[in-house]
Amino acid sequence: MTDTLSHDTTANVHPTLDAPIINRVPPLVVARNLTKYYGSIKAVDGVDVVAYPGEILGIVGESGSGKSTVLRLLNLEEATNGGVYNLQISGLTNTNLFELDRFDKRDVRVHHIGIVYQNPHLGLRMRYSASGNVAERLLITGERTFRTLRSKSNDSLLASEFPLDRVDDPPSVLSGGMQQRVQLAKAIALQPELLLLDEPTTGLDVSIQATVLDTLKRIQRLRTITMILVSHDLGVIRTLADRVMVMRNGRVVEQGLTDQILEDPQDPYTQQLVHAKL
Amino acid sequence: MPLLAVSDYSKIFEIHHLGRQIPVFQHLTFDLMAGQFLLVSGPNGIGKSTLLRCLYRSYLPSGGRAIFDSSYGKIDLARASDIDILTLRNEEIGFVTQFLRPRPRVSALELVAEPLLGSGVDEGEAFEQARDLLLNFGLKEDLWDAYPTTFSGGEQQKVNLARALVAPRRLLLLDEPTASLDISTRESLANRLGELKDQGVAMIGVLHHPEDVEHLIDDTIELSSIAVHANGVVGD
């Protein structure tokens, strides 16, 4: 810990913070120096992500800031150009997940990470039934009994507050909000430690958005899943996130407690972003 | 030993698009003991709420220390990590503000029970306590299952007070808690605060009508513009 006595009261408008001293539980997610280039464009340029068990970490930024790319890197679905990624999960603690082969990556993804995309086409088979989409996830673990598959996928759909009288409908005939609930049910079916949410409510009607956010909050409380939520919508971030990182041009410009970032932003860019909110 | 020892505490807002630094308070020093009620007074706009928000860390203080004697040991609220502040907010430090930003589609009762649920109290117990407190603050029973987004200002305020006071805290920051309350609710609030104070809860309050809680006040700090300008680091 740095010596607080030496801290100058007038010169330093942005004091740096101490390391945690109350929370001795190690973070679930520690990613250092995440880097991703697309040609000459640095989409993600040396980003660190630390998320503690059970918290909701928000990542906010404009289109093209690199926030969704960070999420895809954390989901091990894109090759990285550098960085170290650890999950505090037994058997994996000292593994840089980026260095796993693609079968082991898939294994980590299936068992420990769930993801909900803005676009349901990325996460769902639109012509399978809702419960079939969720059951597919369960099949990966080797479960083959129809009854068990059906009941487990219904549990998960129920937790996502999906109406059970519609479990046989394919996502293609469901509303946007319902499709997101199917994605969510699929993502949490195997009880992952980490849930990644990429603009999960963007494009939904405001009233539907509120109920989906509420479902997410309930799931976080009841299942203590760690969530990383990417959104350009400061209202969504305020509703859900405990802490938030602000990204711009592939870098993190500021991070802090959500209310502090929204009410007392320190960085010039964050000040603009917050003041631009309607 | 004080529960909170604030020393040389400062807040300067830096507004980048104006290229200006706006000092609010500087070199503020005071102690607060367990069970003590400290009133922050001073004219409008002098930074009373800013002080509370800095202590709660909705605002980042610019300098100085605020050593809080938590159940985990001493910790400097001015510099504690965000994750530690979140733990303290969940367990030890409460903020009672006049503004409620209720989440849409969450009932009054759920909003009030939430802080208890978050700290692991079981649902039955949490909702029981939430009901008691709403009853105490006089929110009509037929509103308990309704969404506070549709409530009047005074009704929202009751929900907000109940939410802020439902879980046990060692330190409460009261930001104009009585602003839009009717007389009887102000009385129930004062009673509740009195009970908490007797249990050893320390409080720092900014109040439009300090007479509501006059019998609870142990000490007053006066924020004045002189203190600000005496050390003036005004940007332009």
Side-chain angles (χ1 to χ4, degrees), chain B residues 6 9 20 34 49 66 107 116 124 151 155 171 180 184 196 207 216 229 234:
Chain B
V6 172
Y9 206 52
R20 281 185 63 189
S49 292
S107 75
L116 290 172
F151 289 6
E155 287 164 341
L171 172 63
S180 49
S184 72
L196 293 170
L207 290 129
L216 303 177
H229 288 304
V234 183

PDB file of all heavy atoms in Angstrom, chain B residues 6 9 20 34 49 66 107 116 124 151 155 171 180 184 196 207 216 229 234:
ATOM      1  N   VAL B   6     -11.641  12.532   9.467  1.00  0.00           N
ATOM      2  CA  VAL B   6     -11.431  13.223   8.195  1.00  0.00           C
ATOM      3  C   VAL B   6     -10.363  14.280   8.406  1.00  0.00           C
ATOM      4  O   VAL B   6     -10.442  15.048   9.365  1.00  0.00           O
ATOM      5  CB  VAL B   6     -12.745  13.871   7.709  1.00  0.00           C
ATOM      6  CG1 VAL B   6     -12.511  14.746   6.492  1.00  0.00           C
ATOM      7  CG2 VAL B   6     -13.786  12.795   7.413  1.00  0.00           C
ATOM      8  N   TYR B   9      -9.155  17.304   4.028  1.00  0.00           N
ATOM      9  CA  TYR B   9      -9.986  16.739   2.966  1.00  0.00           C
ATOM     10  C   TYR B   9     -10.351  17.829   1.955  1.00  0.00           C
ATOM     11  O   TYR B   9     -10.798  18.904   2.339  1.00  0.00           O
ATOM     12  CB  TYR B   9     -11.242  16.197   3.620  1.00  0.00           C
ATOM     13  CG  TYR B   9     -11.956  15.076   2.892  1.00  0.00           C
ATOM     14  CD1 TYR B   9     -11.290  13.937   2.477  1.00  0.00           C
ATOM     15  CD2 TYR B   9     -13.334  15.154   2.669  1.00  0.00           C
ATOM     16  CE1 TYR B   9     -11.964  12.905   1.854  1.00  0.00           C
ATOM     17  CE2 TYR B   9     -14.016  14.125   2.053  1.00  0.00           C
ATOM     18  CZ  TYR B   9     -13.328  13.005   1.643  1.00  0.00           C
ATOM     19  OH  TYR B   9     -13.992  11.980   1.030  1.00  0.00           O
ATOM     20  N   ARG B  20     -11.370  24.523 -16.545  1.00  0.00           N
ATOM     21  CA  ARG B  20     -11.417  25.149 -15.218  1.00  0.00           C
ATOM     22  C   ARG B  20     -11.376  24.145 -14.085  1.00  0.00           C
ATOM     23  O   ARG B  20     -11.891  23.049 -14.201  1.00  0.00           O
ATOM     24  CB  ARG B  20     -12.710  25.954 -15.065  1.00  0.00           C
ATOM     25  CG  ARG B  20     -12.669  27.293 -15.731  1.00  0.00           C
ATOM     26  CD  ARG B  20     -13.943  28.056 -15.432  1.00  0.00           C
ATOM     27  NE  ARG B  20     -14.106  28.333 -14.020  1.00  0.00           N
ATOM     28  CZ  ARG B  20     -15.235  28.828 -13.508  1.00  0.00           C
ATOM     29  NH1 ARG B  20     -16.281  29.033 -14.280  1.00  0.00           N
ATOM     30  NH2 ARG B  20     -15.317  29.075 -12.222  1.00  0.00           N
ATOM     31  N   ALA B  34     -18.709   6.906  17.049  1.00  0.00           N
ATOM     32  CA  ALA B  34     -19.880   6.031  16.926  1.00  0.00           C
ATOM     33  C   ALA B  34     -21.031   6.642  17.720  1.00  0.00           C
ATOM     34  O   ALA B  34     -20.833   7.174  18.811  1.00  0.00           O
ATOM     35  CB  ALA B  34     -19.552   4.642  17.454  1.00  0.00           C
ATOM     36  N   SER B  49     -23.616  18.775   0.209  1.00  0.00           N
ATOM     37  CA  SER B  49     -23.889  17.467  -0.388  1.00  0.00           C
ATOM     38  C   SER B  49     -22.632  16.883  -1.011  1.00  0.00           C
ATOM     39  O   SER B  49     -22.427  15.666  -0.998  1.00  0.00           O
ATOM     40  CB  SER B  49     -24.961  17.587  -1.468  1.00  0.00           C
ATOM     41  OG  SER B  49     -26.188  17.907  -0.888  1.00  0.00           O
ATOM     42  N   ALA B  66      -9.885  10.160   4.835  1.00  0.00           N
ATOM     43  CA  ALA B  66     -11.117   9.910   5.567  1.00  0.00           C
ATOM     44  C   ALA B  66     -10.997   8.493   6.104  1.00  0.00           C
ATOM     45  O   ALA B  66     -11.399   7.528   5.465  1.00  0.00           O
ATOM     46  CB  ALA B  66     -12.329  10.062   4.652  1.00  0.00           C
ATOM     47  N   SER B 107     -41.050  -3.556  -7.635  1.00  0.00           N
ATOM     48  CA  SER B 107     -42.048  -3.068  -6.693  1.00  0.00           C
ATOM     49  C   SER B 107     -41.380  -2.360  -5.513  1.00  0.00           C
ATOM     50  O   SER B 107     -40.199  -2.565  -5.230  1.00  0.00           O
ATOM     51  CB  SER B 107     -42.907  -4.220  -6.180  1.00  0.00           C
ATOM     52  OG  SER B 107     -42.168  -4.977  -5.241  1.00  0.00           O
ATOM     53  N   LEU B 116     -31.129  -5.980   1.923  1.00  0.00           N
ATOM     54  CA  LEU B 116     -31.035  -7.132   2.817  1.00  0.00           C
ATOM     55  C   LEU B 116     -30.762  -8.400   2.022  1.00  0.00           C
ATOM     56  O   LEU B 116     -29.911  -9.213   2.392  1.00  0.00           O
ATOM     57  CB  LEU B 116     -32.336  -7.292   3.606  1.00  0.00           C
ATOM     58  CG  LEU B 116     -32.619  -6.220   4.664  1.00  0.00           C
ATOM     59  CD1 LEU B 116     -34.024  -6.383   5.223  1.00  0.00           C
ATOM     60  CD2 LEU B 116     -31.597  -6.289   5.793  1.00  0.00           C
ATOM     61  N   GLY B 124     -37.930 -14.362   3.183  1.00  0.00           N
ATOM     62  CA  GLY B 124     -39.012 -14.175   4.143  1.00  0.00           C
ATOM     63  C   GLY B 124     -38.686 -13.069   5.128  1.00  0.00           C
ATOM     64  O   GLY B 124     -39.463 -12.119   5.328  1.00  0.00           O
ATOM     65  N   PHE B 151     -44.942   6.759  -8.487  1.00  0.00           N
ATOM     66  CA  PHE B 151     -45.351   7.378  -7.225  1.00  0.00           C
ATOM     67  C   PHE B 151     -45.160   8.892  -7.243  1.00  0.00           C
ATOM     68  O   PHE B 151     -44.364   9.428  -8.008  1.00  0.00           O
ATOM     69  CB  PHE B 151     -44.519   6.826  -6.051  1.00  0.00           C
ATOM     70  CG  PHE B 151     -44.828   5.404  -5.673  1.00  0.00           C
ATOM     71  CD1 PHE B 151     -45.697   4.628  -6.421  1.00  0.00           C
ATOM     72  CD2 PHE B 151     -44.242   4.843  -4.547  1.00  0.00           C
ATOM     73  CE1 PHE B 151     -45.974   3.319  -6.063  1.00  0.00           C
ATOM     74  CE2 PHE B 151     -44.508   3.533  -4.183  1.00  0.00           C
ATOM     75  CZ  PHE B 151     -45.367   2.771  -4.940  1.00  0.00           C
ATOM     76  N   GLU B 155     -44.152   9.949  -1.768  1.00  0.00           N
ATOM     77  CA  GLU B 155     -44.239   8.488  -1.628  1.00  0.00           C
ATOM     78  C   GLU B 155     -42.915   7.825  -2.007  1.00  0.00           C
ATOM     79  O   GLU B 155     -42.457   6.906  -1.341  1.00  0.00           O
ATOM     80  CB  GLU B 155     -45.371   7.944  -2.519  1.00  0.00           C
ATOM     81  CG  GLU B 155     -46.753   8.272  -1.988  1.00  0.00           C
ATOM     82  CD  GLU B 155     -47.853   8.083  -3.028  1.00  0.00           C
ATOM     83  OE1 GLU B 155     -47.520   8.056  -4.234  1.00  0.00           O
ATOM     84  OE2 GLU B 155     -49.022   7.972  -2.631  1.00  0.00           O
ATOM     85  N   LEU B 171     -22.383   3.747   9.602  1.00  0.00           N
ATOM     86  CA  LEU B 171     -22.329   5.172   9.260  1.00  0.00           C
ATOM     87  C   LEU B 171     -23.423   5.476   8.253  1.00  0.00           C
ATOM     88  O   LEU B 171     -23.560   4.782   7.248  1.00  0.00           O
ATOM     89  CB  LEU B 171     -20.956   5.511   8.653  1.00  0.00           C
ATOM     90  CG  LEU B 171     -20.791   6.917   8.062  1.00  0.00           C
ATOM     91  CD1 LEU B 171     -20.948   8.003   9.132  1.00  0.00           C
ATOM     92  CD2 LEU B 171     -19.429   7.058   7.373  1.00  0.00           C
ATOM     93  N   SER B 180     -38.988  16.319   1.052  1.00  0.00           N
ATOM     94  CA  SER B 180     -40.371  16.413   0.577  1.00  0.00           C
ATOM     95  C   SER B 180     -41.333  15.585   1.420  1.00  0.00           C
ATOM     96  O   SER B 180     -42.307  15.053   0.927  1.00  0.00           O
ATOM     97  CB  SER B 180     -40.445  15.991  -0.894  1.00  0.00           C
ATOM     98  OG  SER B 180     -39.783  14.766  -1.083  1.00  0.00           O
ATOM     99  N   SER B 184     -45.823  13.916   9.578  1.00  0.00           N
ATOM    100  CA  SER B 184     -45.821  12.662  10.334  1.00  0.00           C
ATOM    101  C   SER B 184     -44.680  11.754   9.887  1.00  0.00           C
ATOM    102  O   SER B 184     -44.090  11.040  10.694  1.00  0.00           O
ATOM    103  CB  SER B 184     -47.175  11.956  10.214  1.00  0.00           C
ATOM    104  OG  SER B 184     -47.322  11.433   8.918  1.00  0.00           O
ATOM    105  N   LEU B 196     -31.529   4.340  15.799  1.00  0.00           N
ATOM    106  CA  LEU B 196     -30.263   3.903  15.209  1.00  0.00           C
ATOM    107  C   LEU B 196     -29.082   4.529  15.945  1.00  0.00           C
ATOM    108  O   LEU B 196     -28.071   3.874  16.207  1.00  0.00           O
ATOM    109  CB  LEU B 196     -30.219   4.252  13.719  1.00  0.00           C
ATOM    110  CG  LEU B 196     -31.217   3.495  12.850  1.00  0.00           C
ATOM    111  CD1 LEU B 196     -31.267   4.070  11.437  1.00  0.00           C
ATOM    112  CD2 LEU B 196     -30.863   2.003  12.794  1.00  0.00           C
ATOM    113  N   LEU B 207     -29.305  18.954   6.197  1.00  0.00           N
ATOM    114  CA  LEU B 207     -30.754  19.032   6.375  1.00  0.00           C
ATOM    115  C   LEU B 207     -31.289  20.433   6.156  1.00  0.00           C
ATOM    116  O   LEU B 207     -30.741  21.399   6.689  1.00  0.00           O
ATOM    117  CB  LEU B 207     -31.128  18.579   7.784  1.00  0.00           C
ATOM    118  CG  LEU B 207     -30.948  17.087   8.046  1.00  0.00           C
ATOM    119  CD1 LEU B 207     -30.147  16.865   9.294  1.00  0.00           C
ATOM    120  CD2 LEU B 207     -32.296  16.408   8.127  1.00  0.00           C
ATOM    121  N   LEU B 216     -31.096  15.257  18.151  1.00  0.00           N
ATOM    122  CA  LEU B 216     -30.111  14.209  17.844  1.00  0.00           C
ATOM    123  C   LEU B 216     -28.722  14.792  17.582  1.00  0.00           C
ATOM    124  O   LEU B 216     -27.721  14.081  17.642  1.00  0.00           O
ATOM    125  CB  LEU B 216     -30.547  13.410  16.609  1.00  0.00           C
ATOM    126  CG  LEU B 216     -31.913  12.727  16.654  1.00  0.00           C
ATOM    127  CD1 LEU B 216     -32.209  12.047  15.314  1.00  0.00           C
ATOM    128  CD2 LEU B 216     -31.959  11.702  17.782  1.00  0.00           C
ATOM    129  N   HIS B 229     -12.028  30.100  -0.317  1.00  0.00           N
ATOM    130  CA  HIS B 229     -11.198  31.096  -0.989  1.00  0.00           C
ATOM    131  C   HIS B 229      -9.863  31.340  -0.296  1.00  0.00           C
ATOM    132  O   HIS B 229      -8.909  31.746  -0.930  1.00  0.00           O
ATOM    133  CB  HIS B 229     -11.967  32.416  -1.142  1.00  0.00           C
ATOM    134  CG  HIS B 229     -13.053  32.303  -2.168  1.00  0.00           C
ATOM    135  ND1 HIS B 229     -12.793  31.916  -3.445  1.00  0.00           N
ATOM    136  CD2 HIS B 229     -14.389  32.487  -2.072  1.00  0.00           C
ATOM    137  CE1 HIS B 229     -13.929  31.880  -4.133  1.00  0.00           C
ATOM    138  NE2 HIS B 229     -14.918  32.214  -3.315  1.00  0.00           N
ATOM    139  N   VAL B 234      -8.312  28.613  -7.699  1.00  0.00           N
ATOM    140  CA  VAL B 234      -9.281  28.733  -8.782  1.00  0.00           C
ATOM    141  C   VAL B 234      -8.537  28.704 -10.118  1.00  0.00           C
ATOM    142  O   VAL B 234      -7.518  29.380 -10.281  1.00  0.00           O
ATOM    143  CB  VAL B 234     -10.119  30.013  -8.635  1.00  0.00           C
ATOM    144  CG1 VAL B 234     -11.166  30.082  -9.725  1.00  0.00           C
ATOM    145  CG2 VAL B 234     -10.767  30.049  -7.271  1.00  0.00           C
TER     146      VAL B 234
END
